[in-house]
Amino acid sequence: MTVHSFQEHFDSKIDREVSIEPRDWMPDDYRKTLIRQISQHAHSEIIGMLPEGNWITRAPSLRRKAVLLAKVQDEAGHGLYLYSAAETLGITRDQMYDQLHSGKAKYSSIFNYPTLSWADMGAIGWLVDGAAIMNQVPLCRTSYGPYARAMVRVCKEESFHQRQGFEIMLSLSRGTEAQRKMAQEAFDRWWWPSLMMFGPPDAESPNTEQSVRWRIKRFTNDELRQKFVDVTTEQAKVLGLEMPDKDIKWNEERGHYDFGKIDWNEFWNVVKGNGPCNKQRIDARRNAWENGQWVRDAALAHAAKRKARTGETKAA
Amino acid sequence: MTVHSFQEHFDSKIDREVSIEPRDWMPDDYRKTLIRQISQHAHSEIIGMLPEGNWITRAPSLRRKAVLLAKVQDEAGHGLYLYSAAETLGITRDQMYDQLHSGKAKYSSIFNYPTLSWADMGAIGWLVDGAAIMNQVPLCRTSYGPYARAMVRVCKEESFHQRQGFEIMLSLSRGTEAQRKMAQEAFDRWWWPSLMMFGPPDAESPNTEQSVRWRIKRFTNDELRQKFVDVTTEQAKVLGLEMPDKDIKWNEERGHYDFGKIDWNEFWNVVKGNGPCNKQRIDARRNAWENGQWVRDAALAHAAKRKARTGETKAA
Amino acid sequence: MNLIYTLRLADDALILGHRISEWCGHGPILEQDIALTNTSLDHIGRARSLYQYAAAQFNALPAEAKAGTFASVMLNDFVSKGAAIDEDDLAYLRDGNEFYNLLLLEQPNNDWAYTVARSFYYDAFNVLFWTELERSADTTLAAIAGKSLKEATYHLRWSSEWVIRLGDGTEESHSRMQQAVNDLWMYTGELFMPNDAEVAAANAGGVDITKLEAKWTEKVAEIFAEATLAMPAATWMQKGGKKGIHSEHLGYILAEMQYLQRAYPGMEW
Amino acid sequence: MNLIYTLRLADDALILGHRISEWCGHGPILEQDIALTNTSLDHIGRARSLYQYAAAQFNALPAEAKAGTFASVMLNDFVSKGAAIDEDDLAYLRDGNEFYNLLLLEQPNNDWAYTVARSFYYDAFNVLFWTELERSADTTLAAIAGKSLKEATYHLRWSSEWVIRLGDGTEESHSRMQQAVNDLWMYTGELFMPNDAEVAAANAGGVDITKLEAKWTEKVAEIFAEATLAMPAATWMQKGGKKGIHSEHLGYILAEMQYLQRAYPGMEW
């Protein structure tokens, strides 16, 4: 087949919603876009372990501690699936780490905010995982097979996490006055950054069209954001929490909630590395990596020794 | 003068209780013994900062925090005077540090016990400083001038610390039941190690005779220990605490309190490096030293640059 | 007595689970981060079962006995109001001198070699211990022991493999691993030194931990041989944890772990 | 409003005093260990004076106003019993979101260069600030400012000297010092961003901290020039501490600092 016919074959698969698999031909741009998106997503899971990991040793009950540990472990697992999915596209995990540690690769900006109270564990589960799921559910049918399959597992676990987060918020909002305040304060801090998780407004989001075509994206940023606002506003009522946005108002005509202006200046600043915890997060991962070098070296050296010994035994 | 007449001159000064000063002739053994004793004493002050330093960030009131900080600072100051006194005998501070960090030099074994509750701050002040003062007051009249003068300052501050420690114990023993228990438990843990601070029994203490002659020592270990038991037993009554030794009993005939058997096996083990915190203490000091190397290097380099610039200016 | 016996086992599990959980998100290899978190979860899970059992034992005591059991203020306040206690009250409201975990388990993570060595010494003990305790006449403890034995067997495989990998890896890893097993050796004696509750248990036909030392030493020697590590020299063994006299590390662990429960007393989370 | 203003200054002093006190016994040079402990004592001493003043202001409030001032549970419990509060209640019973110190001051010690940089940025501000506050119509604050100015002048001399020594020392120290001043730069903007209490104070004729920035920058530039350090590049400035929104570090500071008061509520020490 000529490149042209490869392209036709690829396009037809896309049109018929047939999965693209690692050995299939694919356009360079498709490969690059996927590597960028999947590795960003993997990095987000790994960096995402840190803000929640921050409360493991301080969880207020043993049950909550165990649930939180399991959740952060799941995130590591998600990272693992996603790195593996990206590797099928011809990049190694070490290359991706290197991009993360050098600041070349991005990850979800939400994890550059600090976790300041126990209620943040609820707010992250409820809002951040909630927003993530809305972003990610469509990816379960994305065109690239390994990514789609990874996302099925990820989404299943994340909706579980989201329920756990909501349950933490529910316990707090039905608890004492102090706990209700703790929950409200966390909601106030996480609300706007959660809205920003859907990315810039459609008008400023250049990649959308091509991505929609490739089923890497199925809805626009603004569509998903609106859905999130609608769902979350109803959930906040159940929790008895006040919306952090005074402009939230049901719009009968649109059949949606109107909401206030997002501070995109803040968003871009956090993306550019100026969030409260950007440096802290990358430092933590880089330290883990650098301090672990001798461990990885030892594991490799030992494996080589074992292999050599087995070889000798066989040869003997 | 011949060596013989130097020795006679020295002996006569000792007999007349005239101070020996740095530039005076002194026997090698005298110099060595003093270097060993003064540097051990200095090291004890420096290592002694650690168990108390352990509670600075957790002091239960701001007043107690300030007092504790000031106390630990005083200990650093004592270390400083004592290192200076030792330096007059021809050893550098860096040499002494090296002996400490390499485990060659000893320090008071009491600091190899952990500080486990706030009451330990009271117990250390009351018992450890109390025992130290009894050991040290006679040294204010020791034959070597710089050492004697350092000890005058040290003892003055330490008796202040001892009163502060006693006052902490008093507050606790007059506080709630929980506080009284905390005080008793600290007393129980620190009592025996405090008795060991006076060193092995006279029968097993080889250096005593020569040291008494040189006024490096004025009372025997057992004499001082008995005095400590007598005084402390009375103070414990004021505090309403139980003596940790069930064999404590007033001996009418001796005019002293009898007391139980000291576990010298434990003592020698701690001296040999097997106490609960020996490794931790030395590691802490060694880390401080090693992590500070670049700072000291920078200070030297900068001073040299300054000096060179001043030289240039003068030359110009 | 059984109460303190149960609590001691729970404290071991909680404190080691806590230490291991500090690695979460900071491990040297992603797969190992996951493995270690899993181990932490096992320990925390075991701590919960044991604290639940301890709480049940405590709640069944007559009122007079309850009042004299603990000294910790907030726990006693709670008890004095007549409320039943639960797993969290035991984990979060006791002070350090009423924790009975081994000194070994509260030692800092330091580096991967120390973390591995600490787990290895404990896992090797645990496999022997749970094997014995599984035969306990106390059916609750026996059931917990059965589950714990499965976990410990897996933990021991993991920690043994890492002792071997680091011992027989690079020059650096060998020297770090040797240093770690040497430095922690002085805390292994306490594994086999029974406190009063353990003596009473042994006398009543329960596990006699003093009898586990020979087999434990054999296992350690076997793995160290494969790892090309020297057995640490005999040394003075540290003790105290089992009687509530700890190292300076425990206070910091508890300050962090218990902060929320202390700052927001009596709330449900 | 004056209460929050006073508290904020007290929190600055306590948190920096706490951080610096962590060095005690671990400094690179014995003389500097002593100097730094002395500085910590100055900060803790200032914290005490300010908390005492804040407590007096609070105790003078009508009962309704008292109930609405703090959210922290243990402090409110105390207040609701009608008791007068003191310096320790304010330091030990408030939660992190009611601390108003600068983000700069809660940053970890890291190494000597960071510790020096953190102090230098703050000391340079303080000398300007106390000079102004000494003219306050509030005689208590004016008196505290007078004493603090003397201390800050000394602190600034010390930290400036170290900035210069490290900046113009070895290659390593230069690079560490440059890194430290760069990394902490993003926390310096908050020095000049007034919170509500500071706006109100400025409007009422008090210190307008926004006006101190030019002189501060001049001083920093002067010392950096002597230290052969480059001024850090303009960057997005972090904020939040003054409104009770902190970094993740403060929670750990408070867990440690407040543990005893929380574990043994309502006792005298």
Side-chain angles (χ1 to χ4, degrees), chain A residues 231-244:
Chain A
V231 170
T232 309
T233 305
E234 293 303 322
Q235 290 172 338
K237 286 181 192 162
V238 178
L239 294 175
L241 296 179
E242 260 181 63
M243 290 304 289

Side-chain angles (χ1 to χ4, degrees), chain D:
Chain D
M1 207 45 112
N2 204 7
L3 171 60
I4 300 296
Y5 190 84
T6 310
L7 262 183
R8 209 203 73 60
L9 295 174
D11 293 341
D12 271 2
L14 179 61
I15 298 300
L16 182 58
H18 178 98
R19 274 294 189 222
I20 293 182
S21 79
E22 293 173 348
W23 273 106
C24 186
H26 306 275
I29 299 169
L30 189 51
E31 284 82 350
Q32 295 302 326
D33 207 313
I34 294 173
L36 209 51
T37 302
N38 218 40
T39 305
S40 175
L41 271 168
D42 286 344
H43 292 305
I44 302 284
R46 188 171 78 252
R48 293 188 64 192
S49 305
L50 288 161
Y51 283 133
Q52 284 162 12
Y53 183 41
Q57 290 174 57
F58 179 84
N59 291 330
L61 291 176
E64 323 80 69
K66 278 183 185 173
T69 304
F70 298 112
S72 303
V73 186
M74 290 178 88
L75 186 55
N76 260 351
D77 269 13
F78 200 77
V79 170
S80 69
K81 285 174 194 144
I85 63 168
D86 64 17
E87 57 182 269
D88 291 326
D89 299 317
L90 290 171
Y92 289 97
L93 300 182
R94 273 179 309 142
D95 303 335
N97 62 353
E98 298 195 305
F99 269 77
Y100 304 107
N101 60 282
L102 295 159
L103 294 175
L104 173 69
L105 306 179
E106 69 203 37
Q107 299 308 307
N109 288 338
N110 203 331
D111 68 4
W112 193 252
Y114 274 77
T115 299
V116 163
R118 187 182 58 201
S119 278
F120 172 67
Y121 285 147
Y122 184 60
D123 298 341
F125 172 85
N126 263 352
V127 167
L128 301 172
F129 177 73
W130 300 123
T131 302
E132 295 295 320
L133 195 67
E134 204 179 357
R135 292 197 285 264
S136 174
D138 182 323
T139 52
T140 311
L141 282 184
I144 294 173
K147 182 164 185 289
S148 302
L149 176 59
K150 287 193 194 78
E151 293 169 352
T153 305
Y154 177 80
H155 298 165
L156 179 59
R157 198 165 66 213
W158 182 89
S159 55
S160 301
E161 278 171 8
W162 271 105
V163 169
I164 294 166
R165 203 170 279 137
L166 296 181
D168 189 24
T170 63
E171 210 172 306
E172 177 179 8
S173 73
H174 178 84
S175 114
R176 281 183 185 248
M177 194 68 230
Q178 185 70 59
Q179 189 71 48
V181 297
N182 289 353
D183 286 355
L184 292 174
W185 186 249
M186 65 178 170
Y187 301 110
T188 57
E190 202 181 20
L191 287 164
F192 312 103
M193 289 180 209
N195 68 5
D196 294 348
E198 287 167 325
V199 168
N203 290 343
V207 184
D208 181 350
I209 56 172
T210 64
K211 298 211 172 126
L212 304 178
E213 187 164 8
K215 275 196 179 168
W216 179 87
T217 309
E218 199 179 303
K219 178 71 186 177
V220 170
E222 174 202 323
I223 298 296
F224 282 9
E226 194 173 343
T228 72
L229 294 169
M231 281 296 274
T235 186
W236 179 259
M237 288 294 175
Q238 301 301 321
K239 60 177 190 285
K242 285 182 169 186
K243 294 184 176 184
I245 300 175
H246 290 272
S247 67
E248 289 174 357
H249 303 298
L250 186 67
Y252 292 95
I253 292 178
L254 298 183
E256 192 173 315
M257 182 197 288
Q258 298 180 334
Y259 183 73
L260 260 181
Q261 282 266 356
R262 303 267 192 195
Y264 296 84
M267 302 187 189
E268 293 295 322
W269 299 93

Side-chain angles (χ1 to χ4, degrees), chain A residues 46 49-50 55-66 69-70 72-73 76-77 79-80 83 93 97 118 171-172 176 178-179 182 284-285 288-289 292 294-299 301-302 305-306 309, chain C residues 14 18 21-22 24-31 33-35 37-38 40-41 44 47-48 51 87-88 91-92 111-113 162 164-166 168-170 172-173 176 226 256-257 260-261 264 267-269:
Chain A
I46 299 306
M49 296 171 74
L50 300 172
W55 283 87
I56 290 171
T57 56
R58 292 180 292 171
S61 77
L62 295 177
R63 182 171 79 87
R64 293 290 184 200
K65 188 190 288 282
L69 260 169
V72 180
Q73 189 191 29
L80 211 53
Y83 283 128
R93 209 203 287 182
Y97 280 150
W118 171 250
S171 295
L172 293 176
T176 62
Q179 288 173 306
M182 193 189 271
R285 287 308 311 170
W289 184 251
W294 71 272
V295 178
R296 296 189 300 277
D297 290 345
H302 179 73
K305 282 185 191 177
R306 268 201 121 87
R309 279 198 290 262
Chain C
L14 179 62
H18 179 97
S21 79
E22 292 173 349
C24 187
H26 305 275
I29 300 170
L30 189 51
E31 286 82 350
D33 207 311
I34 294 174
T37 303
N38 219 39
S40 175
L41 270 167
I44 303 284
R48 293 190 63 194
Y51 283 133
E87 56 182 270
D88 291 325
Y92 289 96
D111 68 5
W112 193 252
W162 271 105
I164 293 166
R165 203 170 279 135
L166 296 180
D168 189 24
T170 63
E172 178 180 9
S173 73
R176 281 183 186 248
E226 194 173 343
E256 192 174 317
M257 181 197 288
L260 261 182
Q261 282 266 356
Y264 296 85
M267 301 187 190
E268 294 295 321
W269 300 91

Side-chain angles (χ1 to χ4, degrees), chain C residues 58 66 80 82 94 121 132 135-136 145 155 175 183 229 260:
Chain C
F58 179 84
K66 279 183 185 172
S80 70
R94 273 179 307 141
Y121 285 147
E132 296 294 320
R135 293 197 284 264
S136 174
H155 297 164
S175 112
D183 285 354
L229 294 169
L260 261 182

Side-chain angles (χ1 to χ4, degrees), chain A residues 10 13-14 17-24 26 30 34 38 81-82 84-86 88-89 139-153 214-216:
Chain A
F10 174 83
K13 273 189 174 167
I14 293 281
E17 306 227 340
V18 171
S19 279
I20 308 298
E21 293 299 328
R23 290 168 185 211
D24 296 346
M26 61 190 84
Y30 178 82
L34 273 169
I38 302 174
Y81 317 151
L82 289 160
S84 301
T88 64
L89 291 158
L139 294 174
C140 297
R141 295 182 296 133
T142 193
S143 58
Y144 188 59
Y147 191 22
R149 289 188 291 274
M151 290 317 297
V152 172
R153 287 180 73 175
W214 286 337
R215 288 183 285 129
I216 292 172

